[in-house]
Amino acid sequence: MVSASDRNSAPAEEIPASISASAKQINTLCDKIEDIASYVVSIKNDQSQEHGSSDTCQNLLETVTSTFVHLRQLNRKLHEDKVALNTQVVSLKRKTDDLGLYVENRKCEMAYIQRDIDSTKKMETIYQTIDIIPEDEFRANAPEEFKTGNDTHHKLMIGRLRYEIRQREVLMESKARAKEIRDSLRLVKRQRIEKLEKIDNRLQNYIKSLSQLGRSFGVVSDDEKNLSSSDTSGTAVEGPDRPKETKKFRDSRDVGSSRVGTPQM
């Protein structure tokens, strides 16, 4: 089967062969014309000698005529071959220009790709220093969906990054649930603290009310007695009179009383 390139190259091979054949025929005709010219010159120079009959002249005329006709045919054929050769040269030149343009475009594409490759090699990406799961752990623990098709280093890195994303999503969900539990525990703790503060305030008010009620009835609690005795021992004076209560003692009695004593008989 003949390819397209062979079909295109066939006329280019036939035209030079045709020109060569025509050139050989022209050389043959030229030799023949030289012989005829030599014969005619010899007849002209030797006028005294009787030259051939009319048949010889007729043959010579026919030979010259056929040679002239053949020469015209060869001239026409050479002209046609020249036109065909010029057309073939223009077509080949156009193909050569297209091929040169294609080669130049390919060179530019290769240079552009090479620049991209060089810039990619020099580029520092985050995955080079990112803390991800080691390759051994990835091969041991990762599901098959992340390990299939990892026949190159690039695809292996993509699988590791996808598995890292999945693991971090799981950790983020666990972190969100832990945060919800922490917030709920903080809310319960705050409610308990508020409740305890209310109970403490109520207890302090209750103690204060009981202390005031006891003083109104002349009832002194044991704590007040201890405070009075300690205060009077430190500031005792001679005489039967009881020392006056200081501001410190009154505040201690009002706030620090925790129980009510029995009435004194």
Side-chain angles (χ1 to χ4, degrees):
M1 182 175 180
V2 181
S3 60
S5 59
D6 295 336
R7 289 195 301 268
N8 293 331
S9 61
E13 296 175 356
E14 290 177 359
I15 292 174
S18 177
I19 293 175
S20 299
S22 299
K24 291 180 180 179
Q25 293 179 8
I26 290 175
N27 290 330
T28 303
L29 288 177
C30 289
D31 295 337
K32 193 174 183 179
I33 290 172
E34 288 179 357
D35 293 339
I36 294 172
S38 299
Y39 181 72
V40 171
V41 169
S42 64
I43 293 175
K44 185 177 180 181
N45 293 332
D46 193 6
Q47 296 179 358
S48 60
Q49 186 180 359
E50 183 180 357
H51 300 288
S53 61
S54 60
D55 294 336
T56 303
C57 294
Q58 185 66 28
N59 292 332
L60 182 61
L61 181 60
E62 291 177 357
T63 302
V64 172
T65 304
S66 63
T67 303
F68 180 74
V69 172
H70 195 189
L71 187 62
R72 291 286 300 269
Q73 291 176 353
L74 288 175
N75 184 31
R76 188 181 301 109
K77 184 171 178 41
L78 283 173
H79 179 72
E80 293 176 355
D81 291 342
K82 180 182 177 181
V83 173
L85 184 61
N86 290 334
T87 304
Q88 191 72 26
V89 168
V90 172
S91 178
L92 291 175
K93 184 178 179 180
R94 187 182 300 110
K95 291 180 180 179
T96 304
D97 294 339
D98 295 341
L99 184 61
L101 182 61
Y102 174 77
V103 172
E104 189 67 24
N105 291 335
R106 295 296 294 178
K107 287 182 179 179
C108 294
E109 290 178 3
M110 291 176 63
Y112 179 78
I113 294 172
Q114 187 63 40
R115 286 196 300 269
D116 284 347
I117 292 173
D118 295 338
S119 62
T120 303
K121 288 181 178 179
K122 296 178 182 178
M123 181 177 60
E124 295 183 357
T125 56
I126 190 173
Y127 83 87
Q128 294 174 343
T129 56
I130 191 173
D131 186 15
I132 63 176
I133 298 173
E135 183 176 349
D136 296 337
E137 185 177 349
F138 167 76
R139 294 184 182 276
N141 301 329
E144 291 297 329
E145 60 177 320
F146 298 102
K147 294 189 292 186
T148 55
N150 297 334
D151 52 351
T152 62
H153 181 73
H154 178 68
K155 293 181 179 179
L156 177 62
M157 179 58 69
I158 292 176
R160 291 177 62 189
L161 291 174
R162 288 174 56 215
Y163 180 64
E164 181 71 22
I165 292 172
R166 175 67 63 82
Q167 293 298 105
R168 295 196 179 196
E169 288 175 352
V170 173
L171 291 176
M172 290 299 294
E173 292 176 358
S174 301
K175 182 179 179 180
R177 289 194 298 269
K179 184 178 179 181
E180 292 177 358
I181 295 173
R182 183 197 65 184
D183 294 340
S184 62
L185 291 176
R186 284 182 176 178
L187 179 60
V188 172
K189 181 180 178 181
R190 186 167 57 252
Q191 292 175 352
R192 289 181 178 178
I193 291 174
E194 292 176 354
K195 186 176 181 180
L196 290 174
E197 288 178 352
K198 290 180 181 179
I199 294 173
D200 187 65
N201 291 332
R202 291 175 63 184
L203 182 61
Q204 293 294 333
N205 293 330
Y206 178 70
I207 292 172
K208 185 176 181 180
S209 300
L210 289 178
S211 299
Q212 292 177 356
L213 182 62
R215 285 196 303 273
S216 64
F217 285 100
V219 178
V220 180
S221 64
D222 294 338
D223 292 337
E224 290 179 351
K225 289 180 181 180
N226 295 330
L227 290 172
S228 299
S229 61
S230 63
D231 188 52
T232 53
S233 63
T235 57
V237 293
E238 295 181 356
D241 296 334
R242 183 181 177 181
K244 295 182 180 180
E245 295 180 351
T246 61
K247 184 175 183 297
K248 179 179 179 182
F249 175 73
R250 288 197 301 272
D251 294 340
S252 301
R253 188 182 61 182
D254 292 340
V255 178
S257 297
S258 60
R259 55 183 178 175
V260 180
T262 57
Q264 308 216 349
M265 301 300 294

